Structures are given as structure tokens and as C-alpha cells.
Short mmCIF file of all heavy atoms in Angstrom, two decimals:
data_model
loop_
_atom_site.label_atom_id
_atom_site.label_comp_id
_atom_site.label_asym_id
_atom_site.label_seq_id
_atom_site.Cartn_x
_atom_site.Cartn_y
_atom_site.Cartn_z
N ASP A 478 -17.68 2.49 -1.06
CA ASP A 478 -17.59 2.37 0.40
C ASP A 478 -16.58 1.31 0.82
O ASP A 478 -16.48 1.00 2.01
CB ASP A 478 -18.95 2.02 1.00
CG ASP A 478 -19.39 0.61 0.65
OD1 ASP A 478 -19.31 0.25 -0.54
OD2 ASP A 478 -19.79 -0.13 1.56
N THR A 479 -15.81 0.78 -0.11
CA THR A 479 -14.83 -0.27 0.21
C THR A 479 -13.60 0.34 0.88
O THR A 479 -13.05 1.33 0.41
CB THR A 479 -14.40 -1.03 -1.05
OG1 THR A 479 -15.53 -1.68 -1.61
CG2 THR A 479 -13.33 -2.07 -0.72
N GLU A 480 -13.17 -0.30 1.97
CA GLU A 480 -11.91 0.07 2.62
C GLU A 480 -10.96 -1.12 2.54
O GLU A 480 -11.27 -2.20 3.02
CB GLU A 480 -12.13 0.45 4.08
CG GLU A 480 -10.84 0.82 4.79
CD GLU A 480 -11.00 0.99 6.29
OE1 GLU A 480 -12.13 0.86 6.79
OE2 GLU A 480 -9.98 1.23 6.96
N GLY A 481 -9.81 -0.92 1.93
CA GLY A 481 -8.83 -1.99 1.81
C GLY A 481 -8.07 -2.20 3.09
O GLY A 481 -7.63 -1.25 3.74
N GLU A 482 -7.90 -3.47 3.47
CA GLU A 482 -7.14 -3.84 4.67
C GLU A 482 -6.12 -4.91 4.27
O GLU A 482 -6.39 -6.10 4.35
CB GLU A 482 -8.06 -4.37 5.76
CG GLU A 482 -8.98 -3.34 6.37
CD GLU A 482 -9.80 -3.90 7.51
OE1 GLU A 482 -10.04 -5.13 7.53
OE2 GLU A 482 -10.20 -3.14 8.40
N PRO A 483 -4.94 -4.52 3.81
CA PRO A 483 -3.96 -5.51 3.35
C PRO A 483 -3.31 -6.25 4.49
O PRO A 483 -3.05 -5.68 5.55
CB PRO A 483 -2.95 -4.65 2.59
CG PRO A 483 -3.00 -3.33 3.28
CD PRO A 483 -4.44 -3.15 3.69
N GLU A 484 -3.05 -7.51 4.28
CA GLU A 484 -2.25 -8.31 5.20
C GLU A 484 -1.04 -8.80 4.41
O GLU A 484 -1.15 -9.74 3.64
CB GLU A 484 -3.05 -9.50 5.73
CG GLU A 484 -4.22 -9.11 6.59
CD GLU A 484 -4.94 -10.33 7.12
OE1 GLU A 484 -4.26 -11.24 7.63
OE2 GLU A 484 -6.16 -10.38 7.03
N GLY A 485 0.07 -8.13 4.59
CA GLY A 485 1.24 -8.53 3.84
C GLY A 485 2.23 -7.40 3.70
O GLY A 485 2.10 -6.33 4.30
N PRO A 486 3.23 -7.61 2.86
CA PRO A 486 4.37 -6.67 2.74
C PRO A 486 4.03 -5.47 1.86
O PRO A 486 4.38 -5.41 0.70
CB PRO A 486 5.46 -7.53 2.11
CG PRO A 486 4.69 -8.53 1.29
CD PRO A 486 3.43 -8.82 2.04
N ILE A 487 3.38 -4.47 2.43
CA ILE A 487 2.98 -3.29 1.68
C ILE A 487 3.98 -2.16 1.91
O ILE A 487 4.44 -1.93 3.02
CB ILE A 487 1.55 -2.85 2.10
CG1 ILE A 487 1.14 -1.58 1.36
CG2 ILE A 487 1.46 -2.66 3.61
CD1 ILE A 487 -0.31 -1.20 1.62
N GLY A 488 4.33 -1.47 0.83
CA GLY A 488 5.18 -0.29 0.93
C GLY A 488 4.32 0.96 0.83
O GLY A 488 3.45 1.06 -0.04
N ARG A 489 4.55 1.91 1.75
CA ARG A 489 3.72 3.12 1.77
C ARG A 489 4.58 4.33 2.12
O ARG A 489 5.52 4.23 2.92
CB ARG A 489 2.61 3.01 2.82
CG ARG A 489 1.56 1.97 2.52
CD ARG A 489 0.49 1.97 3.60
NE ARG A 489 0.95 1.39 4.86
CZ ARG A 489 0.27 1.43 5.99
NH1 ARG A 489 -0.88 2.06 6.04
NH2 ARG A 489 0.75 0.87 7.08
N HIS A 490 4.23 5.46 1.54
CA HIS A 490 4.83 6.73 1.96
C HIS A 490 3.81 7.83 1.74
O HIS A 490 3.18 7.93 0.68
CB HIS A 490 6.11 7.06 1.19
CG HIS A 490 6.82 8.25 1.76
ND1 HIS A 490 7.77 8.14 2.75
CD2 HIS A 490 6.69 9.59 1.51
CE1 HIS A 490 8.20 9.34 3.08
NE2 HIS A 490 7.57 10.24 2.34
N PHE A 491 3.66 8.69 2.76
CA PHE A 491 2.67 9.77 2.72
C PHE A 491 3.37 11.08 3.00
O PHE A 491 4.13 11.21 3.97
CB PHE A 491 1.59 9.51 3.78
CG PHE A 491 0.39 10.42 3.66
CD1 PHE A 491 -0.71 10.04 2.91
CD2 PHE A 491 0.36 11.64 4.32
CE1 PHE A 491 -1.82 10.87 2.81
CE2 PHE A 491 -0.75 12.47 4.24
CZ PHE A 491 -1.85 12.08 3.48
N THR A 492 3.14 12.07 2.14
CA THR A 492 3.72 13.40 2.29
C THR A 492 2.60 14.42 2.23
O THR A 492 1.69 14.31 1.39
CB THR A 492 4.75 13.69 1.19
OG1 THR A 492 5.73 12.66 1.17
CG2 THR A 492 5.43 15.03 1.43
N ALA A 493 2.64 15.42 3.12
CA ALA A 493 1.62 16.46 3.14
C ALA A 493 2.26 17.84 3.09
O ALA A 493 3.36 18.06 3.62
CB ALA A 493 0.76 16.33 4.41
N TYR A 494 1.55 18.79 2.46
CA TYR A 494 2.02 20.16 2.30
C TYR A 494 0.90 21.13 2.69
O TYR A 494 -0.28 20.85 2.48
CB TYR A 494 2.41 20.45 0.85
CG TYR A 494 3.44 19.51 0.27
CD1 TYR A 494 3.06 18.27 -0.26
CD2 TYR A 494 4.79 19.85 0.24
CE1 TYR A 494 4.00 17.41 -0.79
CE2 TYR A 494 5.74 18.99 -0.31
CZ TYR A 494 5.34 17.77 -0.82
OH TYR A 494 6.27 16.90 -1.36
N ARG A 495 1.29 22.25 3.25
CA ARG A 495 0.35 23.35 3.49
C ARG A 495 0.88 24.56 2.75
O ARG A 495 2.00 25.04 3.03
CB ARG A 495 0.22 23.64 4.99
CG ARG A 495 -0.50 24.96 5.35
CD ARG A 495 -1.99 24.94 5.06
NE ARG A 495 -2.60 26.25 5.22
CZ ARG A 495 -3.45 26.60 6.19
NH1 ARG A 495 -3.79 25.71 7.10
NH2 ARG A 495 -3.97 27.80 6.23
N ASP A 496 0.10 25.04 1.79
CA ASP A 496 0.47 26.22 1.00
C ASP A 496 1.88 26.08 0.42
O ASP A 496 2.69 27.01 0.43
CB ASP A 496 0.38 27.49 1.85
CG ASP A 496 -1.04 27.74 2.35
OD1 ASP A 496 -1.98 27.36 1.64
OD2 ASP A 496 -1.18 28.30 3.45
N GLY A 497 2.19 24.88 -0.08
CA GLY A 497 3.46 24.62 -0.73
C GLY A 497 4.59 24.23 0.18
O GLY A 497 5.67 23.84 -0.31
N ASN A 498 4.40 24.29 1.49
CA ASN A 498 5.45 23.92 2.45
C ASN A 498 5.21 22.52 2.99
O ASN A 498 4.10 22.22 3.47
CB ASN A 498 5.48 24.92 3.61
CG ASN A 498 5.79 26.33 3.15
OD1 ASN A 498 6.76 26.56 2.41
ND2 ASN A 498 4.97 27.29 3.57
N GLN A 499 6.23 21.69 2.94
CA GLN A 499 6.08 20.33 3.44
C GLN A 499 5.91 20.35 4.97
O GLN A 499 6.70 20.96 5.69
CB GLN A 499 7.30 19.48 3.08
CG GLN A 499 7.19 18.03 3.56
CD GLN A 499 8.38 17.20 3.14
OE1 GLN A 499 8.67 17.08 1.96
NE2 GLN A 499 9.07 16.65 4.13
N VAL A 500 4.87 19.66 5.45
CA VAL A 500 4.61 19.62 6.89
C VAL A 500 4.63 18.20 7.44
O VAL A 500 4.56 18.00 8.65
CB VAL A 500 3.26 20.28 7.23
CG1 VAL A 500 3.31 21.77 6.94
CG2 VAL A 500 2.11 19.63 6.46
N PHE A 501 4.75 17.21 6.56
CA PHE A 501 4.77 15.82 7.03
C PHE A 501 5.31 14.93 5.92
O PHE A 501 5.00 15.10 4.75
CB PHE A 501 3.36 15.36 7.41
CG PHE A 501 3.26 13.93 7.88
CD1 PHE A 501 3.54 13.60 9.20
CD2 PHE A 501 2.90 12.92 7.01
CE1 PHE A 501 3.45 12.30 9.65
CE2 PHE A 501 2.81 11.61 7.44
CZ PHE A 501 3.09 11.30 8.76
N SER A 502 6.13 13.93 6.33
CA SER A 502 6.61 12.93 5.38
C SER A 502 6.99 11.69 6.16
O SER A 502 7.83 11.76 7.07
CB SER A 502 7.82 13.46 4.59
OG SER A 502 8.26 12.49 3.65
N GLN A 503 6.38 10.55 5.83
CA GLN A 503 6.65 9.34 6.60
C GLN A 503 6.33 8.08 5.79
O GLN A 503 5.39 8.05 5.01
CB GLN A 503 5.83 9.33 7.89
CG GLN A 503 6.11 8.09 8.74
CD GLN A 503 5.40 8.14 10.07
OE1 GLN A 503 5.48 9.13 10.78
NE2 GLN A 503 4.71 7.08 10.40
N ASP A 504 7.13 7.05 6.05
CA ASP A 504 6.84 5.72 5.51
C ASP A 504 5.79 5.04 6.39
O ASP A 504 5.51 5.45 7.51
CB ASP A 504 8.11 4.87 5.51
CG ASP A 504 9.18 5.39 4.57
OD1 ASP A 504 8.82 6.02 3.56
OD2 ASP A 504 10.38 5.16 4.85
N TYR A 505 5.26 3.92 5.85
CA TYR A 505 4.39 3.01 6.62
C TYR A 505 3.10 3.65 7.10
O TYR A 505 2.56 3.27 8.13
CB TYR A 505 5.13 2.40 7.82
CG TYR A 505 6.44 1.77 7.47
CD1 TYR A 505 7.63 2.26 8.00
CD2 TYR A 505 6.51 0.68 6.61
CE1 TYR A 505 8.85 1.69 7.67
CE2 TYR A 505 7.71 0.10 6.28
CZ TYR A 505 8.88 0.60 6.81
OH TYR A 505 10.09 0.04 6.49
#
């Protein structure tokens, strides 16, 4: 049940696909 809440210089990128087709891609 732990949720991480970082305070600092974190690098992030999230990409999502539906049935093999990219529908989202973003940093932060």
C-alpha cells in the first residue's frame, strides 16, 4: 500500500499503447 512521493530531480517518461498503436507519450 506504499505510494512513493519523491522530492527531487526525478526523470520520468510514460508511453501507452492500445492494440499495438501508440496513443500517449510524455515526460514528467
Side-chain angles (χ1 to χ4, degrees):
D478 69 312
T479 297
E480 179 189 358
E482 291 184 334
E484 295 182 48
I487 178 174
R489 293 181 288 171
H490 189 89
F491 191 92
T492 305
Y494 304 84
R495 167 70 189 249
D496 298 329
N498 299 310
Q499 181 178 302
V500 293
F501 179 83
S502 181
Q503 181 175 310
D504 294 331
Y505 308 117

